[in-house]
Amino acid sequence: MADHYEVLGVSRDASDEEIKKAYRKLARKLHPDVNPSPEAAEQFKDVTHAYDVLSDADQRRRYDMGGDENPFGGGGGFGGFGDIFETFFGGGGGGGGGRPRERRERGEDALVHVKLGLGDVVFGAHRDIEIDTAVLCETCNGSCCQPGTSPERCDVCGGSGHVRTQVRSLLGNMVTTQPCGSCRGYGTTIPSPCVTCAGHGRVRSRRTVAVDIPAGVESGLRLQMPGSGEVGEGGGPNGDLYLQVEVEPHPSFSREGDDLLATLDVAMTDAILGATTSIDGLDGSVDLEIRPGVQSGDELKIAGRGITGLRSKNRGDLRVAVRVVTPTKLDHKQRQLIEEFAGRQKAEGPKLAEHHQGLFSKLRDKFRA
Ligand SMILES: [Zn+2]
Ligand SMILES: [Zn+2]
């Protein structure tokens, strides 16, 4: 181990004051807050230890006599000179100001709106979405430097990213810490910024993102795609991409939970006599059987032809409400036949239905498209 006096650069008969002064001077240069290099850290340890020993009268005497020394015992160790640190590092044993700012930053999250048809929701959909985003600069690979060059330690702040100013105030000398204006707090400067990205490590670009939207999504739902957002400053990690889903209304089908709802107009004669028909569902044609005597508001349920549940993965039902259509124009012959039918049918006249059986209670909310 080097001689403690040599480490501090003082003579063997240096006074306490000279030792203290020498230590302060070296600490200002070597303290990890000021100088992040590993060599400096090593040197700072030696300097600190030398000061630790020589500033304590008993230890200094023993050291002068060539006696054993306990490197970490005795004079208070690291905490023993808090008074010195508080004077020029703003307190806290050298913590003031913290580390230099990280040049690599996490990228921004991005939000993209995706329009879907109701048919896309039945089984889920695949989309290739074009987004304007930031991608890694391929010239510098995110280093921000022209190829072949590298960042240099900032001369102004010595690499700490902070500058300290001592201000005289009523309370005594105050040390304030501010980000270094020269390197904007990074502790390093870039002498030759990458020309492609102007030293940002990323460039704006249009990118296509392949997206699988699960079945059963609803308008307003946000899907998170971790790591698919922008590349950060200095080639930092990607943010996330959020897809906000908008399901466009369908002219014939609407949704209730995972069920699909539709209304089927049935001619009066088909309603009386019964009929079979098929409709175009969102996933192909659906056969429907209309029983004779079907009423407006009756529901035909086709199990398992609804929307695939977002979580359950089971399909809901297709529910088709019947609306009986009364003819509005009859020719002479048709009118005759209906009158004949009415004469044979001893029907009651119109009368009020009980409230809870009424058509509106069935139709009220469900079949509003
Ligand atoms: Zn670049
Ligand atoms: Zn600086």
Side-chain angles (χ1 to χ4, degrees):
M1 184 179 277
D3 180 74
H4 289 346
Y5 291 97
E6 275 170 35
V7 166
L8 289 176
V10 294
S11 63
R12 293 217 144 242
D13 55 6
S15 69
D16 288 351
E17 198 50 44
E18 282 169 325
I19 287 168
K20 195 169 179 175
K21 233 163 117 181
Y23 174 66
R24 280 179 170 214
K25 205 173 136 199
L26 287 166
R28 273 203 195 91
K29 225 167 60 188
L30 299 171
H31 190 275
D33 262 11
V34 177
N35 191 333
S37 79
E39 297 90 325
E42 208 45 47
Q43 252 182 296
F44 180 68
K45 255 200 321 212
D46 292 344
V47 165
T48 301
H49 176 59
Y51 176 71
D52 201 2
V53 172
L54 299 185
S55 62
D56 182 85
D58 284 341
Q59 286 197 63
R60 185 177 178 184
R61 203 177 317 118
R62 247 180 293 152
Y63 180 74
D64 286 345
M65 297 189 298
D68 283 335
E69 56 160 316
N70 174 2
F72 299 108
F78 210 85
F81 33 80
D83 55 332
I84 291 178
F85 279 100
E86 256 136 48
T87 328
F88 51 84
F89 288 123
R99 312 206 132 271
R101 193 170 143 202
E102 178 70 48
R103 207 175 271 283
R104 277 166 55 89
E105 288 172 20
R106 183 181 179 273
E108 292 282 303
D109 294 337
L111 177 68
V112 174
H113 293 267
V114 186
K115 281 192 179 182
L116 297 175
L118 197 54
D120 296 321
V121 175
V122 174
F123 294 116
H126 181 90
R127 287 281 190 284
D128 289 321
I129 294 169
E130 287 228 310
I131 53 170
D132 281 313
T133 187
V135 298
L136 192 70
C137 172
E138 287 180 1
T139 306
C140 65
N141 213 18
S143 76
C144 308
C145 302
Q146 272 293 80
T149 71
S150 53
E152 287 174 3
R153 205 177 66 165
C154 175
D155 292 335
V156 175
C157 62
S160 70
H162 304 282
V163 286
R164 297 173 174 81
T165 31
Q166 207 169 42
V167 183
R168 283 182 197 283
S169 76
L170 287 174
L171 300 169
N173 285 347
M174 306 270 288
V175 176
T176 63
T177 303
Q178 285 170 314
C180 170
S182 179
C183 62
R184 294 193 296 143
Y186 293 123
T188 56
T189 56
I190 292 179
S192 318
C194 170
V195 172
T196 309
C197 62
H200 290 284
R202 58 177 185 169
V203 288
R204 307 261 12 135
S205 172
R206 240 179 136 64
R207 192 160 64 95
T208 304
V209 183
V211 170
D212 283 307
I213 296 152
V217 294
E218 286 182 76
S219 278
L221 190 82
R222 275 191 187 180
L223 302 168
Q224 185 185 15
M225 297 182 65
S228 292
E230 292 192 355
V231 163
E233 277 282 314
N238 290 60
D240 298 337
L241 176 65
Y242 288 89
L243 303 174
Q244 175 142 347
V245 171
E246 189 195 326
V247 182
E248 294 183 289
H250 189 279
S252 301
F253 294 95
S254 61
R255 177 176 181 173
E256 185 184 84
D258 292 331
D259 291 347
L260 282 172
L261 310 180
T263 301
L264 185 70
D265 281 342
V266 177
M268 183 191 73
T269 46
D270 284 341
I272 294 167
L273 301 172
T276 55
T277 187
S278 72
I279 59 167
D280 289 328
L282 292 174
D283 60 337
S285 76
V286 181
D287 292 330
L288 294 176
E289 173 104 27
I290 296 150
R291 63 173 178 87
V294 76
Q295 302 291 327
S296 270
D298 280 359
E299 191 179 279
L300 312 174
K301 187 160 98 176
I302 302 93
R305 294 295 291 270
I307 290 167
T308 310
L310 183 60
R311 284 172 194 83
S312 71
K313 305 295 173 203
N314 298 322
R315 288 189 72 181
D317 302 328
L318 170 61
R319 286 153 50 195
V320 179
V322 168
R323 186 167 70 179
V324 175
V325 180
T326 309
T328 53
K329 280 193 179 119
L330 298 175
D331 62 22
H332 180 71
K333 181 69 184 167
Q334 286 169 325
R335 188 168 179 87
Q336 244 182 4
L337 288 167
I338 294 293
E339 278 170 351
E340 192 181 324
F341 171 81
R344 284 169 173 267
Q345 175 92 339
K346 291 190 178 55
E348 296 177 48
K351 65 170 175 111
L352 278 176
E354 280 183 45
H355 181 64
H356 67 272
Q357 297 176 327
L359 185 59
F360 293 107
S361 64
K362 281 187 188 171
L363 292 179
R364 193 172 296 130
D365 301 314
K366 289 188 192 171
F367 302 116
R368 225 176 260 160

